[in-house]
Amino acid sequence: MRNIVAEQADVIVAGFEMKWWAVEPSQGTFDFSRAQTLVDFARHRHLQVRGHAAMWYRAIPQWAVTDIRGPKAIDAMTTHVRQVVGHWRGQLIEWDVVNEAIEPADDLPGGLRKAPFGREMGYDWIEQCFRAAHEADPQAKLYYNEFGIEEDLPASEVKRRAVLALLAEMKKRNVPIHGLGIQSHLAVVRPFSSTVFRRFLQDVAAMGLKIRLTEFDVSGHKILGPEMWRDGRIASRAKTYLETAFDEAAVVGLVCWGVRNQDSWLQSEEWARPPGAPPLRPLPYDDAFKPTPLWSAIAQAFDGAPQRTGIARA
C-alpha cells in the first residue's frame, strides 16, 4: 500500500490519528506518534500532508466533555486547536479546522449542529477555532469540511444553503478561512445533478474560496447484480461527479478516503452493508491492490480536467 500511495498520490491525510481523542487521550498528556509516522512517511516520499481534523464534535475526549458543555467551551476548543495545529507548524499544507458543524435537523439558527455543546453556540466558536489555527500556523490553508452537500436531495439542498451561510458569515467577519472541504461520500442510489452541484461550487468560488474533495468514496449499497455491473455503476457515478467538480477552477484536489476496498469505513456500517450483504467496493483498489473500474474513472476525470495549477490527488 505504501508504494501505491507514494506513486499515485501528491497529498495524504490522517483518518483518525490527528483528532483530539487520539493526540490528547488524557488532559495534558499528548501522543502525536501515530500521526507523526504518517508525516514522516510523507516527508521521505516527497508528499504533502493535510491536517484532519482540528475540531470535530465526535472526537472530543471524555475528559474534555465537561468544559465543552460549559462556559469554558470556546477556550477549551481554541486551546486544543492551537496545540494540535501548532505541533506541525510549517509542515502541513492545510487543515480541516472545523468538521461537520452543520445539522439542520437540530433546528438551531443557521442550521448549526447542537453537538457537542448540547446548546446553541452560534458561529463564534467556529470563528475562534479558525483564528486559533491561523495563529498556530499562518502558512497553512484553512478549510471548513462538511458531508451531505453533494447530491440532489432536499436535505442536501438545505445543508448546502446552511454551509453557504456559514462561509458567508466567516468572510463577513474577516475570518482566516481559505476553502471548503466537500467530503464526497457518494452513493449510487442517491440522485446527483451536475447542474445543482455546479451552481453550488460556483457560489463557493464566488466568495474567493478554494474547494477540495476531501473524503471521496462511492458506495454501491442496495445495487444488486454481478460485481462487474456494480463496479460499472460506481465508476459511472464517480466520473460524472468528478467531471462536474473539476470543471470548476476553484477545485484544487481530490482525496480518496482510503486505498483498497476492504479497508473502507463503509464495510462496518450496517446501513451500507447489512448482515449478509456482499463486501462493498467504494475505493480505487481491490483487496489484492489491483485497480478497479473506479480507479479508471478517477484517472479519466483527471485526464479530462481543464489545466490549472494546484490540482492534487490522494
Side-chain angles (χ1 to χ4, degrees):
M1 184 183 298
R2 287 171 175 253
N3 288 338
I4 287 176
V5 171
E7 292 169 1
Q8 296 289 313
D10 300 310
V11 179
I12 59 176
V13 63
F16 294 97
E17 293 82 359
M18 291 185 180
K19 293 182 170 124
W20 194 350
W21 51 255
V23 300
E24 194 181 6
S26 58
Q27 189 170 12
T29 301
F30 294 91
D31 183 1
F32 295 105
S33 59
R34 292 180 65 195
Q36 191 61 47
T37 298
L38 180 141
V39 174
D40 291 343
F41 168 79
R43 183 172 62 253
H44 294 151
R45 296 300 186 104
H46 306 291
L47 306 175
Q48 297 176 315
V49 183
R50 301 189 77 244
H52 174 84
M55 184 54 56
W56 184 39
Y57 75 100
R58 293 182 62 182
I60 295 173
Q62 190 59 41
W63 63 263
V65 169
T66 299
D67 282 348
I68 291 297
R69 290 185 174 273
K72 298 180 181 178
I74 292 180
D75 286 345
M77 288 187 287
T78 54
T79 296
H80 167 69
V81 169
R82 287 189 189 93
Q83 289 169 328
V84 70
V85 175
H87 180 79
W88 285 290
R89 182 184 177 105
Q91 300 179 61
L92 276 57
I93 60 166
E94 58 196 34
W95 270 94
D96 291 329
V97 177
V98 174
N99 192 44
E100 301 177 4
I102 299 294
E103 179 45 81
D106 284 351
D107 201 27
L108 293 180
L112 292 174
R113 184 183 293 278
K114 186 181 295 183
F117 318 108
R119 58 194 172 91
E120 180 179 341
M121 286 282 286
Y123 290 117
D124 290 352
W125 72 273
I126 301 172
E127 173 186 355
Q128 294 307 319
C129 283
F130 273 90
R131 294 195 186 281
H134 183 66
E135 176 185 323
D137 189 351
Q139 297 180 48
K141 301 300 182 183
L142 307 181
Y143 280 65
Y144 172 72
N145 197 48
E146 189 56 87
F147 77 100
I149 53 177
E150 305 86 0
E151 288 155 326
D152 191 21
L153 295 165
S156 299
E157 180 60 28
V158 171
K159 206 166 191 181
R160 282 191 288 270
R161 289 198 298 267
V163 168
L164 289 172
L166 185 157
L167 297 175
E169 183 65 21
M170 294 301 104
K171 296 293 289 186
K172 178 181 177 182
R173 298 186 184 195
N174 294 316
V175 171
I177 182 171
H178 306 106
L180 171 66
I182 300 178
Q183 291 185 16
S184 307
H185 295 299
L186 309 181
V188 174
V189 296
R190 295 196 292 262
F192 174 74
S193 166
S194 292
T195 300
V196 170
F197 191 56
R198 183 176 289 112
R199 183 169 60 245
F200 174 66
L201 298 177
Q202 291 170 346
D203 288 343
V204 175
M207 298 185 198
L209 297 171
K210 298 300 184 183
I211 302 164
R212 190 181 290 275
L213 313 180
T214 53
E215 302 181 23
F216 177 79
D217 49 32
V218 188
S219 171
H221 72 285
K222 297 184 180 180
I223 300 297
L224 304 178
E227 184 176 276
M228 183 178 298
W229 186 81
R230 288 185 283 121
D231 278 356
R233 295 284 303 277
I234 289 167
S236 177
R237 170 54 56 87
K239 191 167 184 288
T240 299
Y241 177 78
L242 294 176
E243 287 177 343
T244 302
F246 291 169
D247 275 345
E248 171 53 58
V251 174
V252 297
L254 166 71
V255 181
C256 290
W257 206 236
V259 175
R260 63 174 176 171
N261 291 322
Q262 73 177 42
D263 299 322
S264 170
W265 68 285
L266 290 165
Q267 305 289 7
S268 60
E269 295 289 324
E270 190 167 333
W271 64 266
R273 188 187 174 192
L280 297 168
R281 295 170 62 80
L283 293 172
Y285 286 87
D286 68 15
D287 298 345
F289 294 109
K290 300 298 183 183
T292 67
L294 177 57
W295 185 97
S296 297
I298 295 170
Q300 290 167 14
F302 270 110
D303 289 343
Q307 295 298 308
R308 73 273 203 181
T309 60
I311 279 284
R313 59 192 182 277

